[in-house]
């Protein structure tokens, strides 16, 4: 049985307690759009915890991704492609991690009949600010259609919501 020293245990707890947090305020990409919401991010030992609450979407599934650039200009087209630092194929980062899928491929967020959608997930090996796959300063993008996980980017269509990921502080424990 392996044991861990008290100093190592305290260091681990301190690292988790001071983990950074971030958020992205989602706004619609079209003039007069009702799309709005917030996505929060927190570094955890398992990866980047993502919690989203979005309103004003058409009912159904919508591609939900982190894109490479931190801008929502030009109907979020300026945000570029999916965040993909490992040059992996499009896929399911929540399941397979950023070595086997685009690091920003979170799949879909599903809106109910009222247009409200939530998502709570962890992207393994991804971090808010640091590590091999940092997302700070990038954009979260919501697409008009379902991400069908086809190549190269899932056929999710136009971008209907966008927000830039910024730091909010250390995690409160």
């Amino acid at each position: 049985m392996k044991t861990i020293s008290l100093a190592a245990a305290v260091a681990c707890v301190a690292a988790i307690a001071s983990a950074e947090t971030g958020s992205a305020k989602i706004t619609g990409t079209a003039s007069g759009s009702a799309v709005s919401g917030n996505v929060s991010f927190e570094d955890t030992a398992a990866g980047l915890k993502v919690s989203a609450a979005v309103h004003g979407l058409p009912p159904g599934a919508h591609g939900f991704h982190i894109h490479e650039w931190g801008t929502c200009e030009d109907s979020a087209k300026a945000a570029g492609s999916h965040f993909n630092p490992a040059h992996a194929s499009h896929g399911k980062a929540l399941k397979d991690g950023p070595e086997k899928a685009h690091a920003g491929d979170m799949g879909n967020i599903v809106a109910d009949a009222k247009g409200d959608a939530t998502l709570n997930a962890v992207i393994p090996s991804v971090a808010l600010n640091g590590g091999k796959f940092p997302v700070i300063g990038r954009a979260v993008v919501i697409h008009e259609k379902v991400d069908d996980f086809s190549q190269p980017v899932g056929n999710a269509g136009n971008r209907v919501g966008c927000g830039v990921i910024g730091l909010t502080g250390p995690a409160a424990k």
Side-chain angles (χ1 to χ4, degrees), residues 79-152:
S81 298
H82 297 173
F83 176 50
N84 185 19
H87 308 290
S89 295
H90 179 63
K92 300 177 182 180
L94 299 177
K95 177 180 170 237
D96 300 326
E99 298 289 348
K100 296 182 181 176
H102 299 168
D105 287 346
M106 293 184 283
N108 295 292
I109 190 166
V110 180
D112 64 17
K114 295 179 182 177
D116 297 329
T118 60
L119 179 119
N120 291 294
V122 175
I123 311 172
S125 302
V126 172
L128 184 60
N129 189 27
K132 193 173 178 182
F133 305 110
V135 300
I136 191 69
R138 301 187 190 287
V140 176
V141 174
I142 302 170
H143 292 266
E144 69 176 328
K145 298 188 279 186
V146 64
D147 180 340
D148 64 9
F149 298 104
S150 63
Q151 299 303 323

Side-chain angles (χ1 to χ4, degrees), residues 40-97:
S40 63
F41 301 88
E42 181 180 347
D43 286 329
T44 71
L48 185 66
K49 179 180 175 186
V50 180
S51 301
V54 182
H55 314 285
L57 290 167
H62 301 271
F64 188 70
H65 309 113
I66 296 171
H67 284 244
E68 60 189 339
W69 309 119
T71 179
C72 295
E73 292 179 18
D74 192 23
S75 299
K77 292 175 191 162
S81 298
H82 297 173
F83 176 50
N84 185 19
H87 308 290
S89 295
H90 179 63
K92 300 177 182 180
L94 299 177
K95 177 180 170 237
D96 300 326

